[in-house]
Amino acid sequence: MEMSDDIYRDIAQAYAAAAEKAPGLKSRFTAAGFDPAAVTSVADLSRLPVMKKEELLKIQRENPPFGGFLASDLKDIGRIYVSPGPIFEPALSGGGGHGLDLLFKAAGVGPGDIILNTWMYHLVPAGLLFDEAAQAAGATVIPGGVGNTELQAQIIVETGVTSICASTAFFLTLADKVIETYGRDAWKVKTAFLGGEMGDWMAKRRRIEADYGVSTWAAYATADLGLVAYEDGGDGYLVHPDRVVQICDPVSGEQVAHGEPGEVVVTARDATWPMIRFGTGDSALALESNADGTVSRISALQGRVGAAVKVREIFVYPRVVEEVVIGTPGAKAAQAVVTRESDRDMIRLSLVLEDGADASAAEAAAAEAFKLHARIRADAVSIVAELPENAELIINQKDR
């Protein structure tokens, strides 16, 4: 696919203007010797070092609330969100839930749908973003928020809720409560917009679809950027047309080859809250790339960048270990341990199996799944009786 050149023209104009209003942004550009007005391509854009979330946090502490990055007038800000840290994120009035309406439209949810939105409405953007987006798509929203299971089950039945926005766990709690209290026929929900969770998530979603007769949908959004990418029925997530997404080496900030995992680095087309070459701290890989190497479709998230361990020149993410569990018949849990022995990185897998599972078949399947997803071989696969509760998926013992 071609990346439209006008997105770079828009970025050049928007960030050149923003730098005149936002001294923090201007000093970031000056320190990098970067001229936003000269941007005509992703190569020009990539001359700016990636800014990590931790850096934004530090800048805001030194110069609260926005670290000199606000490129619009305070009177134009509709809300200030507060993410853990705390990081302050200004949101301008209007804007259809910052692109999240595309997710509802892809799912065919709109006028005539009643959505129970159980995301939090205070401090963080999730609740209000989903609310605005659903309304922009033409649906009716019940602002449920978190908790209150009995009441929310009653709301679902008596108002005829057709769609639920929730974490996977809370969705299951609500569905089971409706069915247990009012019977299976009272359950009329058709679609669910679920929070992306690590773990055996896609398999869990397939079970939910089969058991509760719903189609499930998800998006990749962050507080800083709004919607980055969303499910459209194809693999992974389709990148929002107003975002330039790069998959970059988490250390050097350079674009990695297509299909290699790396940090999701995003530039927004508009600069009201100037997120240019912003490192999300999440890792993914490109499923489809544009001609210039930017990404038009990203995979499911592989984990936080800091959680990856470099093994024989390849970053291995926690997600790989989850894929091993999904791809191994009879596996309940797994863990990878990385060590360094006589100048070589070693990675060993431990598997916990269901009672009666075929151990040798499981070992072979786990080794195969690991090689497929990590692109390197595991040095050993062993069956263990148990792993600690909430054991880390990957442990780095290289420096011991």
Side-chain angles (χ1 to χ4, degrees):
M1 280 176 61
E2 288 294 320
M3 188 86 189
S4 69
D5 293 335
D6 58 358
I7 195 166
Y8 298 112
R9 189 185 63 224
D10 291 351
I11 285 167
Q13 289 172 354
Y15 288 87
E20 296 310 310
K21 295 185 103 172
L25 181 67
K26 188 167 201 164
S27 60
R28 180 184 168 200
F29 290 163
T30 306
F34 177 79
D35 177 10
V39 169
T40 60
S41 67
V42 73
D44 297 334
L45 185 62
S46 298
R47 295 200 175 99
L48 183 68
V50 172
M51 181 163 88
K52 304 281 191 184
K53 207 170 182 124
E54 297 74 30
E55 212 176 320
L56 181 59
L57 184 65
K58 184 167 162 288
I59 290 165
Q60 288 194 352
R61 284 301 76 75
E62 289 164 2
N63 179 15
F66 301 121
F69 274 73
L70 184 65
S72 41
D73 296 328
L74 203 58
K75 67 176 170 45
D76 297 327
I77 294 174
R79 299 194 180 99
I80 296 172
Y81 294 119
V82 185
S83 288
I87 288 181
F88 296 114
E89 279 123 359
L92 274 77
S93 304
H98 297 274
L100 207 58
D101 54 320
L102 294 174
L103 173 67
F104 289 100
K105 288 170 183 162
V109 170
D113 279 297
I114 299 178
I115 298 180
L116 178 64
N117 181 18
T118 74
W119 292 111
M120 253 173 55
Y121 274 75
H122 43 271
L123 292 180
V124 295
L128 286 159
L129 276 184
F130 273 93
D131 190 307
E132 287 175 358
Q135 290 190 57
T140 302
V141 183
I142 300 171
V146 186
N148 231 336
T149 307
E150 282 82 5
L151 176 61
Q152 299 224 41
Q154 184 182 351
I155 291 168
I156 290 168
V157 173
E158 294 187 1
T159 63
V161 166
T162 57
S163 181
I164 293 176
C165 298
S167 70
T168 308
F170 193 48
F171 173 85
L172 287 168
T173 301
L174 283 174
D176 289 344
K177 178 57 76 178
V178 167
I179 291 164
E180 172 195 317
T181 312
Y182 301 94
R184 180 71 188 165
D185 290 347
W187 176 253
K188 302 273 199 292
V189 177
K190 299 281 179 288
T191 46
F193 298 92
L194 299 178
E197 285 150 41
M198 298 302 287
D200 182 4
W201 195 48
M202 291 313 284
K204 198 182 275 179
R205 280 175 56 183
R206 284 192 281 274
R207 285 197 297 275
I208 286 171
E209 294 187 338
D211 294 351
Y212 299 97
V214 296
S215 63
T216 65
W217 297 80
Y220 173 46
T222 76
D224 321 88
L225 294 149
L227 183 77
V228 177
Y230 63 100
E231 289 185 347
D232 65 341
D235 288 343
Y237 298 89
L238 184 66
V239 170
H240 186 301
D242 291 338
R243 310 281 180 261
V244 175
V245 171
Q246 299 171 276
I247 305 292
C248 296
D249 182 294
V251 182
S252 71
E254 288 179 20
Q255 271 183 199
V256 299
H258 176 87
E260 294 268 326
E263 181 170 21
V264 180
V265 173
V266 186
T267 299
R269 186 189 283 243
D270 72 66
T272 45
W273 178 231
M275 294 289 104
I276 178 169
R277 291 269 289 164
F278 183 71
T280 59
D282 294 315
S283 72
L285 45 105
L287 296 179
E288 290 172 13
S289 293
N290 299 306
D292 63 5
T294 58
V295 181
S296 54
R297 191 178 285 277
I298 61 169
S299 70
L301 299 184
Q302 306 292 295
R304 294 295 288 171
V305 164
V309 180
K310 203 167 198 182
V311 185
R312 307 198 281 277
E313 295 312 304
I314 286 197
F315 281 106
V316 178
Y317 285 88
R319 177 81 206 158
V320 168
V321 183
E322 291 165 349
E323 293 286 1
V324 167
V325 176
I326 294 166
T328 304
K332 281 201 302 195
Q335 184 178 61
V337 177
V338 182
T339 55
R340 188 152 178 88
E341 293 159 40
S342 49
D343 290 336
R344 185 174 183 275
D345 291 343
M346 307 286 280
I347 185 158
R348 294 181 175 85
L349 289 174
S350 299
L351 284 182
V352 181
L353 299 181
E354 309 274 3
D355 292 344
D358 180 335
S360 62
E363 285 174 17
E368 198 52 43
F370 183 82
K371 190 174 79 178
L372 176 67
H373 292 284
R375 305 188 315 288
I376 54 173
R377 288 176 191 280
D379 295 288
V381 179
S382 54
I383 309 294
V384 296
E386 59 181 20
L387 286 165
E389 188 74 22
N390 298 326
E392 286 183 56
L393 290 163
I394 186 163
I395 293 181
N396 183 5
Q397 296 182 344
K398 274 164 66 163
D399 307 324
R400 292 192 182 171

